[in-house]
Amino acid sequence: MPPRRTPSKPTPPPPSKTEQLEPYRAHQEDTVLTTDQGIRISDTDNSLKAGLRGPTLLEDFHFREKMMRFDHERIPERAVHARGAGAHGYFQVYESLERYTQARFLTDPSLRTPVFVRFSTVGGSRGSADTVRDVRGFATKFYTPEGNYDLVGNNMPVFFIQDGIKFPDFVHAVKPEPHNEIPQASSAHDSLWDFVSLVPETAHMVMWLMSDRAIPRSFRHMEGFGVHTYRLVNARGKATLVKFHWKPVLGTHSLVWDEAQKVSGKDPDFHRRDLWDSIEQGNFPEYELGVQLVPEGDELKYGFDLLDATKLLPEELVPVQKVGKLVLDRNPDNFFAETEQVAFCVANVVPGIDFTNDPLLQARIFSYLDTQLTRLGGPNFAELPINKPVCPVNNHQQDGFGRQTINTNRANYHPNSIGGGCPMLANPKSAFVHRQERVEGHKIRERSGSFGDHFSQATLFFNSLSKPEREHLVSALEFEVSKVERAEIRERVVNQVLVNIDRQMAERVARAVGVAPPKPPKASELVAGKPAPKLTKVSPALSMENTPHDSIKTRKVAVLIADGFPGRELSQVRKTLEGLGALVEIVGPTLAPVASADGGEETPVKTFQNTSSVLFDAVYVPGGDKSVATLRKLPLAVDFVREAYVHCKALALSGAATTLLDAAGLSQPMAKGLDDAMGVVRSAKNETRGFGQMFAKAIAAHRHWVRESPPPA
């Protein structure tokens, strides 16, 4: 007989995936903040410094761990500034600045210093769109004879936080929310505004982020700022505080929000395409380097602390001196090898440029170097061609991932006799020497009292904008805060942040986002939002309306035509526009040649199906009864005109083309002959004398904001 089998116990069902993952879930409700080693932390807002305004200390293990972990969160794209575009060029100083610095690229006017510049958005991933509302990076690597110098800045002169230990917190708050990875490249969500409402030092930067500066027309129309206060040091060791500026030669201009959203769908590569095309066409982007110079010791002279990265130095108090020009004249040959692998580091300085004790700058000095170790696979990223200095590199560094240098010296240490003592130490007169600065104080985790005013400059910025710019900023706040789902966060934004900047603005936003308007201030609170002593009440330099508006160079003009357009008129207007540097593109029903009324023809480069008015700076429709009759029957052509009008762009309509305004529901009275009311240039009888010049003037104005105001009743 076969042996009796013992009945086996039923196999228990495997745990569900949810159950399997449970031991790995960290539920952090009602817990206390610790380091990765379990050490309890009582302050995660201030790095450890030598005295209130002293430098950050290397022994701050909490800061180092927090920043190290943040630097290595993303592989392989950058944790921030992931989406970017770059170009090669050169920088040349106008006159020697040897009075202030010994940096050769700033003291030798005959020297053309090669550069690589990378522009970027901050919050989005590599696959996000160019025209989102965001800060833009403006990072410049100077390949100087004395080594690489990296000026790593943004298109805004201030930042959200004062101490770098808060940077991981800010970026985590602005990135897509962790539970659903939504929204991409957007600040319009709960976590960002929760952070803003609880960290008042963000107030000034929030005003910049909600302004039109956050949606630039192109990288070519965008200012750049070094953000921090640095030091220039001359050959005698004398230091001068400096703030760096990049001023675009073409002026500073922006998109409007509705236009930016549509561009994101029509061409998510709008900014990088514009940069690439401009260089390929020979329209090289140009910027002037400006400096604000302040004697060392005057960092508290202006009513705020120059070491506070949430503050700017108004140009009316210390004018910006333009000292040199940056020209971008060559596109990369390979995006990955150059634009993606370029490694900027705030710590890359040359003799004549030094740091200050700005606690945000101190953190960046550590963080940028650390993050490259993961992103570029190890310590040899400086040997990549795009990062390699143009001057000789000799040291005892060897081995490691990606090593390209073949060292033949058998002594990789100092001092040595085997290698003849080489590489030898440099003469201090030609070497980088840290400026001697007396530093003393108690080790402390506190913020200097001189960093305590969070609202005066936010008010200054808001008050300095033109009326259209202020309206756009308020509309942006209404849009962004309305996206916040939690009512208590919306209430804090209004009642703890916006009301301290401008009460009327806060009341308007409150109505739009469904929270109670702020209560009248108490007598003790009336000082909030008022300019600090010595601070100007208005700074005209902060408004883009006060930047150059006298050139149409590189502006893109769409010309809408169909069979029967007036060829001679188009030829005359195009000659005028192109003579002034504008780029004219023909848009037709198809890409087939279009016949003119006078026997010629034009071949469109775009169609109404594959382009849109949001991709152009201005729109021109020549007359011709047959041509206009065809365009009126094409809804996309009518929308082209309507959308350009709504976005306040220059329009030119001649002869029968003026009826397109009626078709678009935009009819308005017209004078006889030529008329340019509200930036719409019209000629009722196909009059072309002066038509092109009038249109060019309208384009140079960039936008005609008067159209945003409702007509009088």
Side-chain angles (χ1 to χ4, degrees), residues 283 550-555 557 570-585 692-693 695-697 699:
N283 295 314
D550 57 358
S551 172
I552 66 169
K553 186 179 180 181
T554 74
R555 300 293 180 89
V557 182
L570 170 57
S571 178
Q572 292 176 359
V573 174
R574 177 162 54 188
K575 182 178 180 181
T576 298
L577 298 180
E578 291 180 341
L580 295 171
L583 305 174
V584 176
E585 291 191 356
Q693 289 81 0
F695 184 34
K697 183 179 179 180
I699 298 171

Side-chain angles (χ1 to χ4, degrees), residues 496-694:
Q496 296 184 29
V497 180
L498 301 184
V499 71
N500 290 312
I501 300 172
D502 185 89
R503 175 162 292 276
Q504 289 185 340
M505 172 184 67
E507 291 172 349
R508 288 180 58 182
V509 175
R511 288 192 296 269
V513 303
V515 303
K519 297 177 182 179
K522 299 176 183 178
S524 60
E525 298 174 338
L526 290 176
V527 70
K530 300 296 182 181
K534 302 182 182 179
L535 191 65
T536 59
K537 294 183 178 180
V538 174
S539 174
L542 298 179
S543 171
M544 290 189 291
E545 290 291 286
N546 296 321
T547 65
H549 287 80
D550 57 358
S551 172
I552 66 169
K553 186 179 180 181
T554 74
R555 300 293 180 89
K556 294 183 68 175
V557 182
V559 181
L560 314 187
I561 62 172
D563 284 338
F565 72 93
R568 292 188 183 89
E569 175 196 321
L570 170 57
S571 178
Q572 292 176 359
V573 174
R574 177 162 54 188
K575 182 178 180 181
T576 298
L577 298 180
E578 291 180 341
L580 295 171
L583 305 174
V584 176
E585 291 191 356
I586 306 298
V587 182
T590 70
L591 293 179
V594 179
S596 69
D598 36 23
E601 67 177 24
E602 289 283 347
T603 301
V605 296
K606 301 283 176 60
T607 72
F608 299 114
Q609 290 284 351
N610 70 11
T611 194
S612 166
S613 74
V614 297
L615 305 179
F616 294 88
D617 297 294
V619 177
Y620 163 45
V621 187
D625 293 344
K626 182 179 178 182
S627 174
V628 173
T630 299
L631 296 178
R632 285 181 61 114
K633 294 176 183 177
L634 298 174
L636 290 177
V638 176
D639 284 345
F640 212 104
V641 172
R642 180 190 297 111
E643 198 168 54
Y645 183 92
V646 169
H647 294 153
C648 303
K649 296 177 180 179
L651 278 167
L653 309 164
S654 70
T658 59
T659 64
L660 283 171
L661 291 176
D662 297 314
L666 302 170
S667 181
Q668 52 184 321
M670 178 181 173
K672 294 182 179 180
L674 290 178
D675 184 5
D676 64 347
M678 301 171 69
V680 181
V681 180
R682 293 178 293 177
S683 174
K685 298 180 180 179
N686 294 325
E687 296 182 14
T688 57
R689 175 175 291 185
F691 184 83
Q693 289 81 0
M694 190 176 289

Side-chain angles (χ1 to χ4, degrees), residues 390-402:
V390 296
C391 62
V393 174
N394 297 289
N395 54 46
H396 297 299
Q397 315 296 1
Q398 292 188 16
D399 306 341
F401 290 111

Side-chain angles (χ1 to χ4, degrees), residues 36-335:
D36 283 351
Q37 308 303 319
I39 300 168
R40 290 190 168 207
I41 297 298
S42 63
D43 186 340
T44 191
D45 295 334
N46 300 286
S47 55
L48 189 66
K49 294 179 283 293
L52 279 176
R53 299 181 68 251
T56 300
L57 299 177
L58 190 62
E59 72 177 72
D60 188 352
F61 59 86
H62 172 48
F63 158 71
R64 290 174 61 202
E65 178 189 84
K66 183 176 179 180
M67 188 60 69
M68 178 275 292
R69 291 298 301 269
F70 170 74
D71 287 340
H72 298 272
E73 283 179 0
R74 299 290 195 281
I75 301 173
E77 70 176 31
R78 291 165 169 87
V80 289
H81 297 276
R83 180 173 180 81
H88 294 271
Y90 64 87
F91 171 81
Q92 193 165 13
V93 72
Y94 294 144
E95 297 178 358
S96 175
L97 298 177
E98 61 184 347
R99 176 182 174 187
Y100 304 104
T101 180
Q102 59 182 318
R104 186 177 167 192
F105 81 101
L106 292 175
T107 60
D108 185 353
S110 68
L111 180 65
R112 277 194 171 187
T113 302
V115 302
F116 187 82
V117 176
R118 186 176 185 271
F119 304 102
S120 56
T121 55
V122 172
S125 68
R126 280 188 62 189
S128 57
D130 281 350
T131 57
V132 296
R133 179 178 294 281
D134 199 356
V135 185
R136 299 303 189 284
F138 193 134
T140 307
K141 184 179 289 291
F142 298 81
Y143 303 96
T144 86
E146 300 167 299
N148 289 350
Y149 168 55
D150 292 352
L151 179 55
V152 192
N154 289 329
N155 72 324
M156 301 178 186
V158 294
F159 201 64
F160 293 91
I161 54 173
Q162 296 171 327
D163 193 313
I165 199 171
K166 295 297 295 173
F167 192 68
D169 297 315
F170 161 68
V171 175
H172 287 165
V174 76
K175 283 284 188 177
E177 302 211 8
H179 66 294
N180 59 8
E181 190 69 8
I182 297 173
Q184 177 59 243
S186 173
S187 54
H189 55 97
D190 283 41
S191 60
L192 183 277
W193 289 98
D194 183 41
F195 183 83
V196 165
S197 69
L198 297 171
V199 184
E201 68 201 63
T202 60
H204 188 193
M205 185 62 167
V206 164
M207 291 293 98
W208 283 81
L209 182 64
M210 294 299 105
S211 77
D212 291 342
R213 298 271 189 160
I215 42 176
R217 161 61 183 84
S218 74
F219 297 136
R220 299 176 298 110
H221 296 92
M222 187 178 82
E223 279 190 278
F225 302 89
V227 179
H228 306 287
T229 299
Y230 292 89
R231 282 190 179 98
L232 297 179
V233 183
N234 67 18
R236 298 184 303 279
K238 181 180 179 182
T240 303
L241 300 177
V242 61
K243 280 187 171 288
F244 292 109
H245 298 247
W246 290 116
K247 298 287 188 180
V249 172
L250 295 178
T252 309
H253 302 296
S254 71
L255 302 171
V256 295
W257 179 231
D258 178 71
E259 177 186 22
Q261 291 176 297
K262 291 175 178 175
V263 170
S264 290
K266 299 285 186 180
D267 185 2
D269 303 305
F270 184 70
H271 284 156
R272 59 168 62 180
R273 189 187 309 279
D274 177 274
L275 179 66
W276 181 278
D277 288 349
S278 295
I279 294 174
E280 291 297 298
Q281 294 160 355
N283 295 314
F284 302 144
E286 296 182 341
Y287 309 83
E288 289 186 289
L289 178 64
V291 294
Q292 287 177 295
L293 300 172
V294 176
E296 190 167 41
D298 285 355
E299 61 264 36
L300 298 175
K301 175 180 178 180
Y302 301 100
F304 60 93
D305 198 327
L306 282 178
L307 301 187
D308 181 353
T310 67
K311 305 294 191 298
L312 58 83
L313 181 56
E315 295 184 26
E316 291 73 24
L317 296 182
V318 178
V320 173
Q321 304 176 45
K322 295 178 180 178
V323 298
K325 180 171 283 189
L326 169 70
V327 179
L328 302 180
D329 59 2
R330 185 166 67 82
N331 281 314
D333 294 307
N334 183 278
F335 182 89

Side-chain angles (χ1 to χ4, degrees), residues 462 466-476 508 708:
F462 184 75
S466 64
K467 182 178 179 181
E469 288 173 306
R470 288 197 301 271
E471 289 298 314
H472 298 166
L473 190 155
V474 174
S475 295
R508 288 180 58 182
E708 293 185 331

